[in-house]
Amino acid sequence: MTCPTTEAWAAWLDGAVPSPGREELAQHAAHCPLCQATLQSLRQVDSSLARLRPQPVPADVLMRVRQSLSPAAGHTGWPQIMTLEEVGRFMQLDDRQLDEIVEDLPAFELAGQIRVRYARLLEWIAQREREFTHQRTGSWVGRPTIGRDASSYSLKFESA
Amino acid sequence: MAELTDDDLWRLYRQGEVEAFEALFCRHHTAVYQFARTILGRADQSEDVLQETFLALTRHADGYQPRGNFRGFILRIARNQCLNRIAARKAQRLALSQTGLEWIEPDSPEPHPPELAERNEDLAWIKAAVNELPHDQRQAIALLVYEQMSYPQIAELLEIPLGTVKNLIHRARARLAEQWRRTHQEK
Ligand SMILES: [Zn+2]
């Protein structure tokens, strides 16, 4: 038997060679010093590969990327100016439910169309949250979770 | 938010919680950067890929369907970003060759000098050797070793048959082993 290629040995180590080829290769390996050396180098490479770990992103790179992402992240994929249909999807309301609250929405008219500013919508939701908490508890200990203006959102920098 | 899944975080982000986006960034930025670094070699372009990949998430927020594979989704975006840059390099090189000027940037990634902190010589060697593998082998090996993906997962992400993945990995390991022998016999 002529010596198998290094690639064949790599497949063999991987358990990817079916019988009877697998056994033939095992026999060859037992008697061929050349292929033993090949196998040794493959095992060496495999154990080194197994120890590779992703390197941390350099701090200056991380800082620049976070800075450039910060305003975009605030958009959360929703446009700054939303249509009623988008408001409905955002708040998970169907058309009929949306009709019930459309009067209360912080909306404005533009070329005959109703539009809502995303940031104002978040404020409006926060206001309703506070009112709801007040109704239930009779106090103002509510937690305004998304009461901040969306434009003031910024990504926090990792201290580590 | 540590106990939330990626999909939970994604839903929160879509509902307006920007902190959830930051949490996703914290979880996945190292993988995206490492992948780009291995594929592209160049640090400046890898930084661009990291940035563009997460920007793409904010632009096409409807693109991800939460099915428990956010990492795969984001690495696929990163991979496309890398491929775009490789294509741009090739186009640039072609344009230059037509003007008769010489292309100065090497096709293979810049060789990484073993870092000072890198105590382990073997580890530094294998990292540099991986970075010099042919492109398709490098992609497969990067997902195997850095992401610890299974062969079927790699096949899915790279959109190639399972047999091709195995083939690429075997060829890559064989190539590395032969190189290892050459380097270590010289010593
Ligand atoms: Zn032999």
Side-chain angles (χ1 to χ4, degrees), chain B residues 116-136:
Chain B
L116 286 178
E118 198 82 65
R119 298 264 169 110
N120 196 321
E121 205 184 315
D122 282 347
L123 216 52
W125 181 86
I126 194 81
K127 203 190 291 176
V130 163
N131 286 338
E132 279 156 24
L133 286 171
H135 174 74
D136 47 355

Side-chain angles (χ1 to χ4, degrees), chain A residues 6 14 38 46 51 64 66, chain B residues 22 47 120 151 170 178:
Chain A
T6 313
D14 227 7
T38 303
D46 284 348
R51 282 160 57 221
R64 280 195 298 272
R66 278 205 156 99
Chain B
E22 167 65 9
E47 179 174 341
N120 196 321
Y151 291 173
H170 297 156
E178 278 161 10

Side-chain angles (χ1 to χ4, degrees), chain B residues 131-149:
Chain B
N131 286 338
E132 279 156 24
L133 286 171
H135 174 74
D136 47 355
Q137 294 175 24
R138 210 182 327 145
Q139 278 195 86
I141 283 282
L143 295 172
L144 181 79
V145 301
Y146 290 119
E147 283 297 304
Q148 305 187 346
M149 280 188 176

Side-chain angles (χ1 to χ4, degrees), chain A residues 6-7 10 14 38 44 46 51 54-55 57 62 64 66 68 72-73 76-78 146 148 156 158, chain B residues 13-14 16-17 19 21-22 26 29-30 33-34 47 51 55 58 120 122 151 170-171 173 178 180-181:
Chain A
T6 313
E7 198 183 323
D14 227 7
T38 303
Q44 173 68 39
D46 284 348
R51 282 160 57 221
Q55 294 296 295
V57 181
L62 206 51
R64 280 195 298 272
R66 278 205 156 99
S68 65
T76 64
W78 296 102
I146 42 178
R148 287 149 291 182
K156 278 168 293 205
E158 264 182 350
Chain B
Y13 166 61
R14 291 287 284 144
E17 293 286 351
E19 285 86 353
F21 186 85
E22 167 65 9
C26 280
H29 73 266
T30 309
Y33 188 75
Q34 180 65 58
E47 179 174 341
Q51 181 175 321
L55 270 181
T58 68
N120 196 321
D122 282 347
Y151 291 173
H170 297 156
R171 283 205 328 255
R173 284 163 60 229
E178 278 161 10
W180 188 85
R181 250 161 67 191

Side-chain angles (χ1 to χ4, degrees), chain A residues 122-133:
Chain A
L122 291 183
E123 285 167 21
W124 181 78
I125 293 170
Q127 177 62 34
R128 290 179 71 102
E129 277 177 342
R130 284 192 292 270
E131 284 166 12
F132 185 64
T133 312

Side-chain angles (χ1 to χ4, degrees), chain A residues 3-4 28 32 34-35:
Chain A
C3 288
H28 180 96
C32 177
L34 221 62
C35 287

